[in-house]
Amino acid sequence: MNALALLRSLFAYQAWANDELLEKLASLDPHVHGKERQAVIGLIDHSHVVSRIFSAHLVDASHGYSADTTEDTPAFDELRAAVAATDRWYLDYLETVSSRQLSESVAFVFTDGH
């Protein structure tokens, strides 16, 4: 399996896993598991922001984030839609990226300035 095929497989699996995780999280009663549910939503928000930052670096674009999480954690449905859109972005990107581009270094600065 070449690198591009492997990446496509891994990102397809990530999209599936994100969807399954968010589906299970949606089924948790927020009144019974509110604290735990909110903690998981915060972790997913962090993961999503990092994915968006990295996707911007891949196409040499500004990402607009100053931290690795949002200031205000988005509502669950909003976050779920954003995660799905980001997963779709990566899958679409892998359909257009060249092998040469995959071998290039990606310059970036961490959101904390280091």
Side-chain angles (χ1 to χ4, degrees):
M1 182 181 289
N2 67 34
L4 189 53
L6 178 60
L7 284 170
R8 285 178 179 147
S9 175
L10 291 172
F11 277 93
Y13 182 77
Q14 176 177 294
W16 170 85
N18 282 340
D19 187 58
E20 288 290 310
L21 174 63
L22 290 162
E23 183 67 28
K24 296 296 182 204
L25 189 56
S27 72
L28 285 180
D29 184 335
H31 300 291
V32 176
H33 303 288
K35 185 176 177 182
E36 296 85 354
R37 188 175 187 271
Q38 198 57 37
V40 173
I41 290 171
L43 290 170
I44 293 169
D45 180 51
H46 163 73
S47 177
H48 176 253
V49 168
V50 171
S51 291
R52 295 302 311 150
I53 290 169
F54 191 72
S55 68
H57 291 313
L58 287 173
V59 296
D60 196 27
S62 174
H63 53 73
Y65 292 100
S66 60
D68 61 3
T69 191
T70 56
E71 189 171 320
D72 296 314
T73 304
F76 176 76
D77 290 338
E78 179 184 334
L79 181 60
R80 187 176 192 177
V83 168
T86 299
D87 286 339
R88 173 57 29 212
W89 183 93
Y90 275 99
L91 292 169
D92 291 345
Y93 174 78
L94 289 171
E95 292 302 318
T96 62
V97 70
S98 69
S99 296
R100 180 190 57 76
Q101 288 172 298
L102 286 176
S103 66
E104 293 175 355
S105 296
V106 176
F108 64 92
V109 176
F110 287 101
T111 54
D112 68 0
H114 294 97

